[in-house]
Amino acid sequence: MIRSARFARLLAGAAGIPVALVTSLVVFRLVRHFSVDMPIEPGEFSGWGVRWGLLLAILLTSAASWGERRPASPHQLLVSQGLAALLLLALLVLAACLTTIAVNLGLLGQGWTLSSRSGMAVRLAAEIGLHWLGLPVAVGIGLRLLALRRPALR
């Protein structure tokens, strides 16, 4: 196994966009069943996927090869990318649940004239969550990978 900084940068950069596009596809598949009033097109989240994938690739590339220590291993890079996708999906599910609870309690969506107000809430939570939670998740995963490689500051 080659453990050079160049290989770590290549792997981190190459896997960022595919991981993000798969994440956007999973979000689409989950949300399309709830969004009955406003159907979602299959490629609706792909633009977000490309942007988040580039951000994730840049942050993980920097975290994998920055500094004097040995570059991150392929295992660390792949685990970091998978963890970023799982964390983002978990946060989106939590946001969708909280938004649905808010609709059912009458705190949100009182003026909506839709057949499925909770379905619209799930869609809004997914769309807003993708745009607002992606950056903190990517930064957090990048810092985690950097911390795995660098000794703790004393």
Side-chain angles (χ1 to χ4, degrees), residues 5-15 61 77:
R6 181 178 293 170
F7 180 72
R9 286 192 295 268
L10 179 65
L11 182 62
T61 298
L77 285 168

Side-chain angles (χ1 to χ4, degrees), residues 2-153:
I2 300 172
R3 290 197 148 189
S4 69
R6 181 178 293 170
F7 180 72
R9 286 192 295 268
L10 179 65
L11 182 62
I17 291 179
V19 165
L21 288 176
V22 168
T23 304
S24 70
L25 181 64
V26 169
V27 172
F28 161 72
R29 296 233 183 240
L30 291 173
V31 173
R32 75 175 176 167
H33 298 295
F34 295 101
S35 186
V36 294
D37 294 309
M38 296 176 64
I40 298 177
E41 297 295 321
E44 198 162 329
F45 297 136
S46 62
W48 168 86
V50 170
R51 289 189 305 273
W52 190 63
L54 286 172
L55 176 70
L56 188 63
I58 289 167
L59 289 171
L60 289 182
T61 298
S62 300
S65 59
W66 184 59
E68 297 177 5
R69 296 203 56 195
R70 185 172 56 184
S73 69
H75 179 273
Q76 286 177 322
L77 285 168
L78 295 176
V79 165
S80 296
Q81 289 169 344
L83 188 60
L86 287 176
L87 181 60
L88 187 60
L89 289 172
L91 289 173
L92 290 177
V93 168
L94 178 63
C97 290
L98 292 175
T99 307
T100 303
I101 290 170
V103 166
N104 291 334
L105 291 175
L107 303 173
L108 178 70
Q110 290 300 311
W112 296 349
T113 55
L114 303 168
S115 61
S116 174
R117 291 187 315 153
S118 60
M120 183 62 179
V122 168
R123 180 186 174 130
L124 284 175
E127 290 179 357
I128 293 170
L130 285 175
H131 292 288
W132 285 94
L133 297 174
L135 176 63
V137 167
V139 169
I141 296 298
L143 291 174
R144 177 191 170 275
L145 180 61
L146 187 61
L148 287 175
R149 294 185 50 240
R150 301 187 66 77
L153 297 175

